[in-house]
Amino acid sequence: DVEKYPNLIVHGPLQAMMLCQAGTQHMGRAPDRFKFRGVHPMFHDRDMRLLAEEDGQGKLRLCTARGDENQGLQATAEWEETA
């Protein structure tokens, strides 16, 4: 009621953990660097998608999204080359 949101929000760090796990599964190991920032609240009663785009140089741009509407959280994950 205080923040005037229509429903409960999905915790931002929980979204970050989901994106980091998705990146880890995609690349086969945990990232060496991971940064995130919230850009729009995500609500628990709406479907949420995890999206990622690989740049081909060991970096993923990730986000949570509500359908085709808003991005909830944006993140970048980076992997250094292993010897």
Side-chain angles (χ1 to χ4, degrees):
D1 290 337
V2 173
E3 295 176 353
K4 308 295 186 228
Y5 287 141
N7 225 317
L8 297 174
I9 61 170
V10 179
H11 194 286
L14 174 62
Q15 294 178 62
M17 288 174 42
M18 294 169 68
L19 291 174
C20 189
Q21 180 63 33
T24 297
Q25 289 177 346
H26 179 74
M27 299 296 280
R29 65 183 177 92
D32 295 305
R33 284 177 296 287
F34 185 81
K35 296 187 289 188
F36 66 93
R37 70 183 189 101
V39 293
H40 194 273
M42 300 296 285
F43 301 102
H44 86 285
D45 63 339
R46 305 286 297 274
D47 289 339
M48 182 175 70
R49 300 184 305 151
L50 305 180
L51 305 171
E53 180 178 64
E54 191 172 355
D55 77 349
Q57 298 176 359
K59 187 176 187 178
L60 284 179
R61 292 186 320 173
L62 306 110
C63 71
T64 57
R66 186 175 66 209
D68 290 333
E69 297 174 18
N70 297 65
Q71 289 186 4
L73 190 118
Q74 297 173 339
T76 56
E78 297 180 52
W79 289 262
E80 295 177 6
E81 288 187 36
T82 58

